Amino acid sequence: MNNRQLFLSHLAQTTDFPLLIEVEKAEGIHLFGPNGEKYIDLISGIGVSNVGHRHPKVLAAIQSQLDKYLHLMVYGEYVQTPQTQLAKALCDTLPDSLDNVYLVNSGSEAVEGALKLAKRFTGRREMISCVNAYHGSSHGSLSAGGNELFKRAYRPLLPGISHIHYGHLADLEKINRQTAAVILETIQGEAGIRVADREYFQALRRRCDETGTLLILDEIQAGFGRTGKFWAFEHFDIVPDILLCAKGMGGGMPIGAFIANKEVMGVFKNNPLLGHITTFGGHPVSAAASLATVQILQEEQLISQVEAKAALFKSLLVHPKIKGIRNKGLMMAVEFGSFEVLKPIIDRAIELGVITDWFLFCDDSMRIAPPLIITEEQIHDACQAILRAIDEA
């Protein structure tokens, strides 16, 4: 049996129509197949490869750590240099009130930890999230999600969660003194790149303060430079109580984190002690890769280039079938009006060597979220292929 047959026979499937792109190697913005295929990865493995595939500095950090140690102990007991240096580097990018990092393995785990933390710290049980929010697929994170299509088959889910509409000021009145936390994507991702304005975020922060509610901002997709700032909340002059990150954090390695202040995080130490446990959270190899990723973003000034690269995409992607482009930096949605129009374009673009995608809760729009290292020449090449795909699909 070849690899494709083994994939279909022995790996659990999540759809009846997987992409079935076979990858032999990845480098920079490209994926390479076993028969000479070459693809531009315009979705970064869904927001993961912000510094590109196999960045040399990430590989060097991984190799250096491999020569020292791998897993040693469950999280939080041993002093491990990759973890401590990463935590310090993350805190250095943040306001002083976000000074305590809990390292986990993924975005869903970061959500789970944050939900527990908010309940434990406030003593409250009710949560609020947004319609068409996506926070992950585990039971708690799915409960906080905002799309019933993805939830109904798994009910009963976590009780006490209600939903508001992202960006709607009037809905903020639903936040009250029984609300432990509001969990919200700073930029809504799977809803098709929806961006609320500064007035909304300022009002959200005020309402949480008035009611003693913790504000959890999910930047699992939007963080690590994707929007043109290291953290997306910096665009809106607010600070969350708990910040979530993963995806682009690891330079291609699995890692996530929830970040708060030391007082809030401290509730996990007592009643009960070990209030949140992870065996592999902050794995030293992943932590080393993540630290390298932070340094690459800063040293190579990738974040300061995001706006210009996004503007270039928008200037080149002009076609009668394109209804509009929504974006915050290189977190982009190209609207085509229907899935029936979009899907053949995505399929043809892949045949032409450009990988794009749609969104879970917005299937009329094309996802574009390339590695931040993408060059102007590569943007031109990718856009030419997309425009050709539109004409030929």
Side-chain angles (χ1 to χ4, degrees), residues 259-367:
I259 306 171
N261 68 43
K262 198 166 186 177
E263 178 191 4
V264 172
M265 202 73 82
V267 300
F268 278 155
K269 295 189 291 186
N270 299 290
N271 299 319
L273 77 164
L274 299 173
H276 192 66
I277 300 172
T278 172
T279 297
F280 291 112
H283 190 283
V285 177
S286 292
S290 183
L291 177 60
T293 299
V294 174
Q295 294 167 341
I296 292 162
L297 289 169
Q298 295 169 335
E299 294 167 3
E300 299 187 10
Q301 300 181 332
L302 295 176
I303 299 172
S304 64
Q305 303 169 31
V306 164
E307 287 296 343
K309 291 176 180 179
L312 182 57
F313 269 107
K314 294 173 77 172
S315 71
L316 295 173
L317 289 176
V318 177
H319 191 280
K321 288 188 178 179
I322 294 176
K323 308 301 182 185
I325 299 177
R326 298 180 299 277
N327 80 295
K328 196 66 173 176
L330 286 172
M331 197 173 176
M332 312 184 77
V334 183
E335 185 177 349
F336 285 89
S338 74
F339 183 69
E340 290 69 29
V341 172
L342 174 60
K343 183 59 165 63
I345 295 169
I346 290 174
D347 293 342
R348 182 60 181 141
I350 291 173
E351 293 172 352
L352 295 172
V354 173
I355 299 173
T356 66
D357 196 9
W358 64 92
F359 299 90
L360 285 179
F361 312 143
C362 183
D363 64 5
D364 69 349
S365 296
M366 175 186 288
R367 183 196 308 266

Side-chain angles (χ1 to χ4, degrees), residues 82-362:
Q83 294 180 352
T84 57
Q85 289 187 345
L86 173 59
K88 175 63 164 60
L90 291 174
C91 291
D92 285 347
T93 69
L94 290 163
D96 291 343
S97 60
L98 293 169
D99 63 358
N100 222 239
V101 179
Y102 195 118
L103 296 171
V104 291
N105 301 285
S106 68
S108 287
E109 287 186 53
V111 172
E112 296 286 348
L115 296 179
K116 286 176 64 178
L117 185 61
K119 284 184 172 181
R120 179 68 181 84
F121 182 77
T122 63
R124 303 173 183 179
R125 296 294 177 263
E126 295 181 10
M127 302 274 185
I128 290 176
S129 66
C130 286
V131 174
N132 280 340
Y134 180 78
H135 296 293
S137 286
S138 53
H139 262 75
S141 59
L142 182 63
S143 302
N147 188 284
E148 186 59 27
L149 176 64
F150 279 77
K151 297 168 69 167
R152 64 169 67 107
Y154 302 103
R155 292 192 177 278
L157 292 167
L158 194 66
I161 296 180
S162 57
H163 294 86
I164 60 176
H165 290 85
Y166 175 86
H168 288 215
L169 285 168
D171 279 9
L172 298 182
E173 291 301 314
K174 296 180 181 179
I175 304 168
N176 57 52
R177 294 191 178 278
Q178 283 71 53
T179 310
V182 175
I183 179 169
L184 178 134
E185 296 165 276
T186 313
I187 312 297
Q188 280 202 310
E190 297 309 318
I193 315 303
R194 309 293 173 174
V195 187
D197 58 24
R198 184 180 182 277
E199 178 188 7
Y200 175 78
F201 279 102
Q202 293 285 315
L204 171 64
R205 178 70 272 182
R206 284 195 303 271
R207 184 62 180 166
C208 287
D209 290 340
E210 291 166 0
T211 58
T213 300
L214 297 184
L215 175 58
I216 304 171
L217 288 185
D218 178 341
E219 301 214 356
I220 291 164
Q221 285 196 51
F224 277 73
R226 173 63 51 193
T227 67
K229 291 186 181 292
F230 199 102
W231 303 105
F233 69 79
E234 297 178 73
H235 292 284
F236 307 107
D237 298 320
I238 64 162
V239 178
D241 299 296
I242 305 174
L243 177 66
L244 312 181
C245 53
K247 287 190 178 286
M249 176 180 181
M253 292 293 286
I255 192 168
F258 55 103
I259 306 171
N261 68 43
K262 198 166 186 177
E263 178 191 4
V264 172
M265 202 73 82
V267 300
F268 278 155
K269 295 189 291 186
N270 299 290
N271 299 319
L273 77 164
L274 299 173
H276 192 66
I277 300 172
T278 172
T279 297
F280 291 112
H283 190 283
V285 177
S286 292
S290 183
L291 177 60
T293 299
V294 174
Q295 294 167 341
I296 292 162
L297 289 169
Q298 295 169 335
E299 294 167 3
E300 299 187 10
Q301 300 181 332
L302 295 176
I303 299 172
S304 64
Q305 303 169 31
V306 164
E307 287 296 343
K309 291 176 180 179
L312 182 57
F313 269 107
K314 294 173 77 172
S315 71
L316 295 173
L317 289 176
V318 177
H319 191 280
K321 288 188 178 179
I322 294 176
K323 308 301 182 185
I325 299 177
R326 298 180 299 277
N327 80 295
K328 196 66 173 176
L330 286 172
M331 197 173 176
M332 312 184 77
V334 183
E335 185 177 349
F336 285 89
S338 74
F339 183 69
E340 290 69 29
V341 172
L342 174 60
K343 183 59 165 63
I345 295 169
I346 290 174
D347 293 342
R348 182 60 181 141
I350 291 173
E351 293 172 352
L352 295 172
V354 173
I355 299 173
T356 66
D357 196 9
W358 64 92
F359 299 90
L360 285 179
F361 312 143
C362 183

